[in-house]
Amino acid sequence: MSSPRRTSLVALLLTILAALLVPAAPVAAADDDPDVRVSIRTLDPSHLAPGADVTMTGTVSNRDDHAWTKVQAYLVIAPTPFTTRGQIEEAVGNGDAYTGSRVVETGTFDEMGDLAPGQTSRFRISVPYEQLRITGAEGVYPVGVQILATDDEGNRGDDAVGRATTFLPLIASTRTVVPTSVVWPFLMPDSRGTDGDYTDPASLLTSVSAGGQLRNLLDLASDTTPSAGTIIVDPALLVGVDDLAEDRRQPDDLEVSDEQRAEASRFLTDLLTLARTRPSWILDFDRPDDLALSMNPDLRDDLRAAIDLATDTALTTYQLSGRRVSWPTRTGVDRALLADVRGEGDSPVIVTPAAVPDWEPRLG
């Protein structure tokens, strides 16, 4: 493979990191307007490889006022990969875009049974690599799940009543080395309520467990050379995963097995090992809304002091250091905000391309 093509593939991987799991709107089927919502929770492995089964899990929610029966979940994958950023952006922007062909061999789809109105059920699909029937060419393969079901009048179409799409890269074992740097963001997806407990610890647990989004991201980052990337760490993620592993500040109704807690603990250990051995950037605790802080000078000093204390405490607790950076959480970034965030220093500020005057894709 030539160096330009290798660089293009890395750019595609960056696009994947920005939109790893893409929810999709329901599509027409037996019911004229089905309201079946599908969410992909885990995908394993993190990249395609001959001999490795592809396993996907997720949830299907029936938001219709009638039941769906004989519900089946099928893995779908395109036989050829995407090779341009535009193809991925189109797939991300259009939930009804072509994903691929269903894998229908016996044992490769999930017989989920019936879904009552308002009910949510989990699915699990595992397909051997050989049954994916892909070309094996390098690139990014759209992969997803389609749900077939029978409506309350006994109608069953061949169109999916719900679907969701994500992506899997395939990189050949013989690699041409190209100077490249990738930023790997490890952000806290959960938050805390007014009582101090986490609001969605189950999703965090899924994300850091085998096949989850953060676990896959960590595995991908760990598989690169130390000079090829920068790790961005939100200290709130370290605290959140540690609290999950140690059963601190969790809702009373959360049931977590010893094996799941071990997975969380393993993720924390692996992330700290990676961050301590790679160039690392450190966000302020829980990635605060810098724009809101800059617009409220009366509250800024007290809140900034609390944020700095939480950040410094976490870094000391987990013996982690790195360059402090800011990542404004809103799309609107103006000169006043940048001046307020950066001050007289040289700390990097992560912004969207649209916030940079005269930015062009060729600039990176």
Side-chain angles (χ1 to χ4, degrees), residues 150-171:
T150 302
D151 66 16
D152 57 335
E153 297 181 356
N155 300 315
R156 186 182 186 88
D158 193 47
D159 291 337
V161 300
R163 67 176 73 189
T165 304
T166 183
F167 306 96
L168 273 176
L170 190 153
I171 303 174

Side-chain angles (χ1 to χ4, degrees), residues 151-282:
D151 66 16
D152 57 335
E153 297 181 356
N155 300 315
R156 186 182 186 88
D158 193 47
D159 291 337
V161 300
R163 67 176 73 189
T165 304
T166 183
F167 306 96
L168 273 176
L170 190 153
I171 303 174
S173 57
T174 55
R175 303 180 181 183
T176 302
V177 177
V178 174
T180 305
S181 183
V182 180
V183 172
W184 305 95
F186 291 91
L187 309 180
M188 175 59 166
D190 198 1
S191 59
R192 292 193 197 179
T194 55
D195 59 357
D197 288 350
Y198 292 94
T199 59
D200 193 12
S203 292
L204 175 61
L205 178 61
T206 298
S207 189
V208 301
S209 299
Q213 184 175 6
L214 283 171
R215 182 72 246 187
N216 283 347
L217 186 68
L218 180 56
D219 291 342
L220 281 170
S222 301
D223 199 35
T224 62
T225 59
S227 60
T230 298
I231 310 300
I232 298 182
V233 178
D234 178 355
L237 177 62
L238 305 177
V239 175
V241 177
D242 196 11
D243 285 343
L244 187 60
E246 299 298 329
D247 195 21
R248 294 189 294 257
R249 289 183 281 275
Q250 306 301 323
D252 293 336
D253 59 352
L254 180 68
E255 296 183 3
V256 183
S257 67
D258 291 341
E259 182 179 354
Q260 289 174 313
R261 297 195 189 284
E263 288 239 50
S265 179
R266 185 160 49 250
F267 174 87
L268 178 61
T269 299
D270 292 346
L271 177 57
L272 287 172
T273 299
L274 181 69
R276 289 166 182 162
T277 56
R278 303 287 181 93
S280 296
W281 289 356
I282 308 297

Side-chain angles (χ1 to χ4, degrees), residues 133 238 333 340:
R133 294 183 176 82
L238 305 177
V333 177
D340 183 64

